[in-house]
């Protein structure tokens, strides 16, 4: 079975998870579940970034050690992923030994091949971003808590790989999507690329992975964190597993961490002579009132509140269908309710109730025996092209095409009126309802990566466990059940 390795960013533990974390992780889970439908074996990695100044400061604020703070924060993410029905293959924390030993091994390797040097540097330092910034970045006014720092540090020769990286991005050997983000990275790389400061003196920051060649320094948090993508799958340890999974099929990220993933990370890999990931996909932000959701603005919507009010599958459906990957999307309770009532309560939920009620009342609660496997619905189903859309990560288009198919079932019902036909020609009405039931089976499977629980409920109502995507696999004469509305309407 072909492997498909995808990753989320590892999330910073200076605060609790929010809708940005939830969206990226639900998206990764949805992509992984769709790869299963294509007959592949997805490996989904997520986890936590636990080093750095902001973690140290958050711990101090709460009167804890950094490690105790991380241990207390980790369950908030684990529990939320469980609540959001996310199935990950591995959950890595950068404080784990399996990660820290690989980071130190890599530092040694890069140092030995001459790509790390020590130098005194004076420049502007952004406390919020935990990195030195350029004069141009300073002038942009986008960086808070900026101060001038002069100190000795270790630097990675990132500039050495600038030309090589540009060629790989231009040729799509390293595919950066959407194309607007590719152009953004290339624009950044066409300016002179500075070397990367990869250390912090312990006199300023103690919470980090110690440099193996200088005990007075810890590793810069981004140099440490990015390595999780290979430390988790056995780099420098389990070489057989690493060869099976690397290069990653996709790094899924938010657009705010594009530079670190598209410049820092590839140059690190080039220094190590390790292949680059196949694809980096940067999705947009969730906005409210056309502003990015942020804690400082006080406009962050808690995914937990959404789930408690409307159910996990409805929230997953909204988030996956509303954002065109690569673009921003605006959240409002009004748009959520409108989409829920239109797509889920009316188009899908009512259809399940309608078909199951007609079969229950007229065919002894058993799937009718069809007179033919051909129908307009069978033709409509064959128009759904799954793989191309999924390979392009066009999840919204997969959902839209599935919903178009579901609406065609409603049209098919209205056209053929099986509730009238059953009184005149029961066999013909049975044939119509068989095709409707089969179309619902396939629709629920196509939406199962987005709504795993509700899809199982619909299959149970239809009396089938058959998850083949081939038309005509629902068994005639199998018993169906009636249930409460799958998606109760929001009033």
């Amino acid at each position: 079975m072909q492997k498909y390795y995808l990753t989320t960013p590892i999330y910073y533990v200076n605060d609790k998870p929010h809708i940005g974390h939830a969206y990226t992780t639900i998206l990764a889970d949805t992509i992984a579940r769709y790869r299963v439908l294509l007959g592949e074996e997805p490996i989904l990695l997520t986890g936590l970034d636990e080093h750095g100044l902001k973690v140290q400061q958050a711990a101090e604020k709460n009167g804890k050690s950094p490690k105790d703070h991380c241990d207390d924060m980790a369950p908030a993410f684990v529990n939320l992923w469980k609540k959001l029905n996310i199935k990950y293959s591995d959950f890595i924390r950068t404080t784990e030994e399996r990660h820290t030993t690989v980071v130190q091994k890599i530092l040694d390797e890069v140092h030995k091949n001459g790509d790390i040097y020590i130098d005194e540097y004076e420049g502007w330092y952004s406390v919020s971003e935990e990195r030195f910034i350029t004069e141009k970045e300073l002038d942009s006014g986008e960086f808070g808590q900026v101060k001038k720092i002069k100190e000795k540090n270790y630097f990675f020769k990132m500039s050495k790989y600038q030309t090589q990286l540009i060629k790989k991005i231009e040729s799509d050997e390293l595919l950066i999507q959407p194309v607007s983000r590719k152009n953004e990275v290339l624009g950044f790389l066409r300016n002179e690329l500075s070397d990367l400061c990869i250390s912090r003196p312990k006199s300023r920051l103690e919470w980090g992975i110690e440099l193996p060649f200088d005990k007075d320094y810890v590793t810069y948090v981004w140099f440490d964190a990015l390595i999780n993508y290979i430390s988790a799958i056995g780099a420098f340890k389990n070489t057989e597993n690493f060869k099976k999974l690397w290069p990653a099929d996709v790094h899924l990220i938010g657009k705010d961490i594009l530079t670190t993933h598209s410049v820092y990370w590839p140059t690190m890999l080039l220094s190590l002579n390790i292949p680059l990931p196949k694809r980096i996909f940067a999705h947009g932000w969730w906005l409210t009132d056309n502003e990015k959701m942020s804690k400082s603005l006080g406009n962050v919507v808690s995914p937990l509140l959404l789930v408690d009010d409307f159910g996990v599958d409805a929230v997953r459906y909204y988030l996956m269908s509303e954002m065109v990957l690569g673009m921003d999307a605006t959240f409002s309770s009004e748009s959520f309710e409108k989409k829920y009532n239109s797509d889920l309560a009316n188009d899908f939920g009512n259809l399940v109730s309608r078909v199951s009620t007609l079969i229950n009342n007229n065919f002894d609660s058993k799937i009718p025996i069809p007179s033919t496997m051909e129908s307009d619905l069978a033709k409509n189903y064959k128009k759904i092209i799954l793989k191309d859309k999924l390979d392009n990560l066009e999840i919204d288009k997969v959902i839209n095409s599935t919903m178009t198919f579901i609406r065609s079932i409603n049209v098919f019902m209205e056209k053929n009126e099986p509730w009238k036909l059953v009184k005149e020609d029961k066999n013909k009405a049975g044939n119509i309802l068989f095709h409707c039931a089969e179309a619902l089976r396939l629709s629920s499977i196509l939406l199962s990566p987005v709504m795993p629980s509700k899809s199982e409920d619909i299959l149970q109502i239809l009396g089938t466990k058959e998850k083949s995507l081939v038309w005509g696999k629902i068994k005639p004469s199998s018993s169906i059940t009636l249930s409460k509305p799958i998606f109760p309407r929001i009033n």
Side-chain angles (χ1 to χ4, degrees):
M1 191 179 285
Q2 188 177 334
K3 308 275 188 183
Y4 187 92
Y5 179 40
L6 74 157
T7 68
T8 73
I10 51 172
Y11 304 116
Y12 216 31
V13 292
N14 61 323
D15 209 346
K16 290 177 183 175
H18 54 69
I19 196 169
H21 303 131
Y23 173 77
T24 312
T25 317
I26 292 169
L27 176 59
D29 176 68
T30 301
I31 292 168
R33 289 174 186 266
Y34 271 122
R35 300 318 295 190
V36 173
L37 292 189
L38 295 178
E40 297 173 358
E41 183 184 349
I43 310 297
L44 170 55
L45 174 69
T46 189
L48 300 176
D49 179 3
E50 299 190 343
H51 291 123
L53 185 61
K54 283 189 278 190
V55 174
Q56 183 174 293
Q57 289 171 337
E60 288 167 358
K61 186 179 175 183
N62 295 318
K64 297 176 181 176
S65 72
K67 184 65 170 72
D68 285 345
H69 167 81
C70 294
D71 289 345
D72 289 344
M73 288 298 295
F77 288 85
V78 172
N79 293 336
L80 180 55
W81 298 166
K82 188 176 180 182
K83 189 165 189 170
L84 295 175
N85 204 353
I86 286 159
K87 289 170 67 177
Y88 49 80
S89 310
D90 196 357
F91 187 95
I92 190 164
R93 296 174 58 185
T94 56
T95 48
E96 293 176 54
E97 186 185 358
R98 64 170 172 156
H99 176 73
T100 58
T101 54
V102 174
V103 171
Q104 290 187 316
K105 170 71 175 170
I106 284 172
L107 283 162
D108 256 337
E109 291 283 324
V110 178
H111 189 234
K112 281 173 188 171
N113 71 21
D115 280 352
I116 292 176
Y117 62 93
I118 193 166
D119 195 11
E120 187 168 70
Y121 179 82
E122 182 176 11
W124 295 102
Y125 186 81
S126 167
V127 177
S128 60
E129 293 291 312
E130 297 195 41
R131 67 177 178 88
F132 288 99
I133 60 171
T134 63
E135 289 284 347
K136 188 177 178 181
E137 287 176 317
L138 177 70
D139 293 340
S140 73
E142 293 175 8
F143 295 85
Q145 293 179 277
V146 175
K147 59 183 179 181
K148 204 156 203 181
I149 289 180
K150 183 178 182 179
E151 65 186 14
K152 271 191 176 178
N153 265 311
Y154 285 90
F155 290 80
F156 165 57
K157 290 182 182 177
M158 196 159 67
S159 58
K160 176 179 171 182
Y161 300 98
Q162 182 172 5
T163 304
Q164 198 177 345
L165 179 57
I166 288 171
K167 286 177 182 173
K168 288 183 181 291
I169 294 171
E170 284 180 333
S171 68
D172 287 338
E173 184 180 335
L174 171 58
L175 179 61
I176 298 174
Q177 290 180 305
V179 70
S180 59
R181 301 296 160 216
K182 172 184 175 178
N183 293 336
E184 186 181 323
V185 174
L186 287 172
F188 177 83
L189 284 170
R190 286 186 180 120
N191 296 309
E192 186 180 350
L193 187 63
S194 303
D195 288 340
L196 181 65
C197 179
I198 61 159
S199 69
R200 299 292 182 263
K202 283 186 180 176
S203 56
R204 183 156 67 83
L205 172 67
E206 291 184 1
W207 183 237
I209 298 173
E210 191 176 86
L211 294 188
F213 44 80
D214 194 328
K215 309 297 181 189
D216 293 329
Y217 289 85
V218 295
T219 311
Y220 168 47
V221 65
W222 269 113
F223 196 94
D224 153 16
L226 291 161
I227 290 168
N228 90 90
Y229 300 130
I230 60 174
S231 65
I233 57 169
F236 299 101
K237 287 184 178 179
N238 185 344
T239 51
E240 188 180 335
N241 190 60
F242 182 68
K243 282 178 183 175
K244 275 183 194 171
L245 296 181
W246 193 260
D249 289 276
V250 60
H251 288 324
L252 201 59
I253 61 169
K255 64 181 180 179
D256 50 332
I257 51 174
L258 180 66
T259 303
T260 51
H261 282 78
S262 303
V263 180
Y264 296 11
W265 179 225
T267 54
M268 288 162 63
L269 291 168
L270 288 170
S271 175
L272 291 161
N273 201 26
I274 291 174
L276 303 191
K278 294 175 188 175
R279 179 188 336 215
I280 295 169
F281 199 106
H283 65 72
W285 286 331
W286 276 96
L287 311 174
T288 178
D289 299 324
N290 293 319
E291 287 184 311
K292 181 193 173 188
M293 288 189 192
S294 73
K295 191 182 173 189
S296 58
L297 290 172
N299 64 351
V300 175
V301 179
S302 169
L304 288 172
L305 292 177
L306 291 171
V307 170
D308 291 341
D309 289 343
F310 304 111
V312 63
D313 278 16
V315 172
R316 285 175 63 114
Y317 178 84
Y318 176 81
L319 294 175
M320 293 302 98
S321 60
E322 195 70 6
M323 183 182 276
V324 176
L325 263 191
M327 297 175 70
D328 295 338
T330 301
F331 171 84
S332 70
S333 56
E334 292 83 6
S335 71
F336 175 84
E337 288 184 19
K338 185 178 178 183
K339 196 164 197 70
Y340 175 97
N341 282 335
S342 171
D343 291 10
L344 301 182
N346 293 352
D347 289 340
F348 199 20
N350 281 351
L351 183 62
V352 173
S353 298
R354 206 175 184 189
V355 171
S356 60
T357 300
L358 282 166
I359 293 173
N360 182 70
N361 292 345
N362 297 289
F363 293 89
D364 299 323
S365 299
K366 290 183 170 31
I367 299 289
I369 297 167
S371 54
T372 174
M373 281 295 166
E374 291 301 315
S375 69
D376 288 345
L377 290 181
K379 290 173 190 170
N380 290 342
Y381 175 68
K382 286 167 187 172
K383 292 175 188 174
I384 297 173
I385 307 298
L386 202 59
K387 191 173 187 309
D388 289 352
K389 292 185 180 76
L390 292 176
D391 285 347
N392 289 322
L393 302 183
E394 295 171 327
I395 302 301
D396 60 302
K397 288 187 178 178
V398 173
I399 295 169
N400 287 340
S401 61
T402 305
M403 290 309 300
T404 298
F405 178 58
I406 287 169
R407 291 181 192 110
S408 80
I409 309 172
N410 277 310
V411 171
F412 184 75
M413 289 273 283
E414 292 299 325
K415 180 182 171 184
N416 289 283
E417 299 181 318
W419 51 89
K420 287 183 182 177
L421 192 59
V422 74
K423 296 167 187 171
E424 303 158 13
D425 189 334
K426 195 170 182 180
N427 287 339
K428 200 171 181 182
N431 187 58
I432 298 296
L433 289 170
F434 169 87
H435 283 272
C436 290
E438 174 63 347
L440 278 175
R441 180 188 75 84
L442 289 161
S443 299
S444 67
I445 295 164
L446 288 173
L447 288 176
S448 63
V450 184
M451 301 188 290
S453 298
K454 292 293 186 184
S455 296
E456 283 295 332
D457 290 346
I458 293 167
L459 290 178
Q460 199 170 348
I461 289 168
L462 294 171
T464 182
K465 293 181 179 178
E466 179 58 70
K467 293 186 180 178
S468 165
L469 285 171
V470 176
W471 180 271
K473 292 293 184 180
I474 198 166
K475 288 181 181 175
S477 301
S478 56
S479 297
I480 67 157
T481 56
L482 287 174
S483 70
K484 293 177 183 176
I486 293 287
F487 298 103
R489 190 174 172 81
I490 300 170
N491 296 315

